[in-house]
Amino acid sequence: MPFRVGGDHSIKAGGYLQYDQGFFVKNGDGAADVKPIAHLYKSQVYQLAEYLGAPEEIRARPPTTDTYSLAQTQEEFYFGIPLQKLDFCVYAVDHGVSSAQAAPVVGLSEEQVEEVYRDILGKRRSTRYQHQPPMLVEPV
């Protein structure tokens, strides 16, 4: 959820995985005016937190959906793969790394990596609307 700063402006603290894969609510945490870490992979967010001195107790806590009362991680609820592996796979998709090259790095078979790549691209397609500005019936 974004927090308010300086009047009507809000800041969102979600990282690249959440932004890229559409794991946000468009008019909730997606409506922030400033998204200072939306370009950072999850592993980079953890590195930044350590660098800034965030307590280990906070850095070690697994990200949760905070959507339902059922205790689940983001991995279980939405991503379906450990975030460190997903981080690398999203990076690999973005930089043209083949599934054959990625497989030994993430500890998955080439077929499993291809499935992860399909899931990444599918989420990008199905959540693209969340990144669009609102449409107006008439210009204002």
Side-chain angles (χ1 to χ4, degrees):
M1 182 133 207
F3 56 92
R4 298 271 166 216
V5 294
D8 294 329
H9 301 287
S10 63
I11 297 177
K12 164 70 168 78
Y16 183 58
L17 287 182
Q18 289 88 346
Y19 185 77
D20 178 69
Q21 295 294 286
F23 189 62
F24 61 90
V25 177
K26 184 172 182 169
N27 291 314
D29 52 352
D33 299 307
V34 181
K35 299 176 182 180
I37 62 171
H39 65 290
L40 297 180
Y41 292 92
K42 183 65 80 174
S43 56
Q44 293 173 311
V45 172
Y46 284 118
Q47 290 170 353
L48 178 62
E50 182 177 8
Y51 177 79
L52 293 174
E56 174 64 23
E57 166 184 308
I58 293 172
R59 295 190 326 255
R61 182 176 175 258
T64 63
T65 61
D66 287 335
T67 306
Y68 300 104
S69 58
L70 179 62
Q72 331 175 263
T73 67
Q74 289 179 358
E75 293 169 9
E76 296 164 327
F77 179 77
Y78 189 77
F79 295 117
I81 182 173
L83 295 175
Q84 287 182 320
K85 291 181 182 196
L86 182 60
D87 241 11
F88 182 81
C89 288
V90 168
Y91 177 90
V93 166
D94 290 347
H95 293 88
V97 177
S98 72
S99 56
Q101 293 171 305
V105 175
V106 294
L108 299 172
S109 71
E110 189 174 339
E111 294 77 24
Q112 288 171 313
V113 172
E114 288 171 5
E115 179 61 33
V116 172
Y117 283 8
R118 281 191 295 275
D119 189 52
I120 289 166
L121 296 174
K123 283 186 172 119
R124 285 179 177 174
R125 278 190 307 275
S126 66
T127 63
R128 188 55 45 209
Y129 74 93
Q130 291 180 281
H131 299 274
Q132 302 302 317
M135 294 176 16
L136 303 173
V137 174
E138 289 187 26
V140 190

